[in-house]
Amino acid sequence: MFKVISKYWWCQILGWLAYFLINAFIFSVSADLLVFTLMGVMSTHLFRYLIHKADWGTYSLDKQLLLFFWILVGSGTLLFICYYLILRFIFMDEQPISDVFRRLVTAYLIATMWWTIYFLYHYVERTTAEKVDQLTLQATVKELELKTIKAQLNPHFIFNALNSIRALVDENPQRARTAITELSNILRSSMAAEKSETVSMEKELNIVRDYLALETIRFEERLVVTYDIDPDTLSLQVPPMMLQTLVENAIKHGISKTINGGNVMISSHLKGLQHEITIENTGQFVENARNGHGFGLESTRQRLSLLFGNRASFAIRNKDAQIVEARVLMPIL
């Protein structure tokens, strides 16, 4: 039975019980004390219910301070009014003005103590949770970095890139040198991914351009790449290597499986207070199929969840019979 009682109700019951017993010991047990204690439980619980309905945890610090003041005044006033009306009209107890004033002051003091403890508890709890999330995120970024090296920039990609470069050495030495630089940039970025939680969209896009430039050598006219990038999004922060992961997924499971190749379109736009990134490619996405999509898509969902919680989303779908669309929505940082 006791296991199903929440921490809140344990604190509520024990706190008000302690108040009742201390006052009963100092003064005496009376209807006055009993009514005041019961009204205290009622008023604090009612206002707690109201602020939970308002989802106060999402408020800014300024709004939370304002909320603290108003619920302090509101719960203290409600406590006193209910206490006074019950004594006056139910128990027919007409107290002296001095006692009424004393109870009014007590009501506000108790409300101040109760809400101060309540807000401090939730502040400490949220701070602790944020630190745990931060540590989890750091551990995940490092783990994803290792997986990125092993799975995303896999030996097959490096092998294909080196073969393409080797073929260019004699026929187009200048392009071969450029390709080596592009491959170097990609490797350097993947190795540096664990050092930061986010990078600018511009930096991420440069890595994708290098990656696609190398893939264009291999696919030639079978790969057509287009960009639709809002300049205002270039300074926005995104998870490192996320865009590259999704673009490689489009090449590996879309373009490479199509005899005539196809198109890849990368878009980046502002959508209200969110940053929307979409990658469209020729092909078809098969839900739950064992086609190798798993790691790239799951790592994208995991990183977005750890960085932004439910403020970000990721979805992949067949836009029509020819096109697959991967769509990321993130809050603006």
Side-chain angles (χ1 to χ4, degrees):
M1 174 184 173
F2 293 110
K3 291 182 179 179
V4 300
I5 301 178
S6 66
K7 288 188 293 184
Y8 161 75
W9 276 113
W10 274 117
C11 293
Q12 186 80 310
I13 294 169
L14 294 176
W16 284 106
L17 180 60
Y19 172 81
F20 178 86
L21 293 176
I22 291 171
N23 280 272
F25 178 78
I26 296 175
F27 302 105
S28 63
V29 177
S30 63
D32 171 89
L33 176 60
L34 180 61
V35 170
F36 190 87
T37 303
L38 291 176
M39 291 304 99
V41 174
M42 182 207 72
S43 63
T44 51
H45 180 66
L46 175 62
F47 274 81
R48 174 186 178 271
Y49 171 80
L50 293 176
I51 64 173
H52 270 258
K53 290 286 287 184
D55 197 19
W56 69 275
T58 61
Y59 290 5
S60 65
L61 180 59
D62 291 343
K63 287 186 176 180
Q64 287 190 23
L65 290 174
L66 186 61
L67 177 67
F68 172 82
F69 173 78
W70 283 114
I71 62 174
L72 186 157
V73 173
S75 61
T77 302
L78 180 65
L79 166 56
F80 174 76
I81 290 175
C82 291
Y83 155 78
Y84 180 81
L85 292 177
I86 290 174
L87 284 184
R88 178 70 178 81
F89 296 104
I90 296 180
F91 289 92
M92 302 302 177
D93 184 2
E94 295 188 19
Q95 295 186 337
I97 294 297
S98 58
D99 286 348
V100 173
F101 181 77
R102 179 173 61 85
R103 280 302 185 190
L104 177 61
V105 173
T106 302
Y108 285 119
L109 288 177
I110 291 294
T112 301
M113 292 175 59
W114 199 97
W115 289 110
T116 299
I117 293 171
Y118 183 84
F119 271 75
L120 283 177
Y121 170 82
H122 282 281
Y123 173 79
V124 172
E125 188 176 54
R126 282 199 305 273
T127 302
T128 302
E130 288 172 359
K131 288 181 179 179
V132 171
D133 287 344
Q134 185 72 13
L135 292 174
T136 302
L137 176 60
Q138 291 173 358
T140 302
V141 169
K142 291 181 180 179
E143 180 183 352
L144 288 172
E145 163 59 13
L146 293 175
K147 288 183 178 179
T148 298
I149 296 172
K150 293 178 182 178
Q152 296 302 309
L153 293 176
N154 55 66
H156 294 290
F157 164 69
I158 297 175
F159 177 77
N160 290 333
L162 290 175
N163 270 344
S164 299
I165 293 170
R166 183 178 64 180
L168 288 172
V169 168
D170 293 327
E171 62 183 65
N172 193 341
Q174 179 59 42
R175 181 66 187 94
R177 286 193 291 270
T178 301
I180 291 172
T181 300
E182 292 163 349
L183 180 59
S184 175
N185 289 339
I186 297 172
L187 292 171
R188 186 183 303 110
S189 295
S190 69
M191 296 298 293
E194 66 174 329
K195 297 179 181 179
S196 59
E197 295 173 4
T198 60
V199 297
S200 69
M201 180 63 184
E202 183 174 20
K203 183 175 181 180
E204 182 77 354
L205 196 58
N206 288 338
I207 298 305
V208 169
R209 291 183 192 276
D210 286 337
Y211 168 75
L212 288 172
L214 289 172
E215 291 291 54
T216 300
I217 297 174
R218 181 160 68 101
F219 287 97
E220 296 180 339
E221 70 277 0
R222 291 180 60 222
L223 174 60
V224 177
V225 181
T226 56
Y227 298 91
D228 180 17
I229 308 298
D230 184 343
D232 291 337
T233 66
L234 293 176
S235 61
L236 300 181
Q237 297 294 298
V238 298
M241 303 300 290
M242 182 192 71
L243 182 60
Q244 192 274 340
T245 297
L246 295 177
V247 171
E248 183 171 353
N249 192 77
I251 298 292
K252 183 178 179 181
H253 303 290
I255 307 304
S256 66
K257 295 184 181 298
T258 306
I259 295 176
N260 296 323
N263 302 323
V264 173
M265 180 174 182
I266 302 170
S267 303
S268 176
H269 293 279
L270 294 173
K271 188 176 182 180
L273 297 177
Q274 290 187 303
H275 180 193
E276 181 182 55
I277 299 174
T278 58
I279 296 94
E280 295 183 4
N281 65 273
T282 303
Q284 285 290 277
F285 174 70
V286 181
E287 190 71 32
N288 298 323
R290 295 181 177 274
N291 53 12
H293 284 279
F295 171 75
L297 305 185
E298 185 56 34
S299 68
T300 299
R301 290 190 181 95
Q302 185 180 16
R303 296 170 77 182
L304 288 172
S305 176
L306 286 169
L307 279 170
F308 308 113
N310 58 11
R311 296 180 298 153
S313 64
F314 168 70
I316 183 168
R317 66 186 181 98
N318 292 316
K319 187 175 181 180
D320 53 40
Q322 303 294 328
I323 302 296
V324 178
E325 179 190 70
R327 179 172 174 266
V328 176
L329 272 177
M330 298 174 291
I332 297 174
L333 292 182

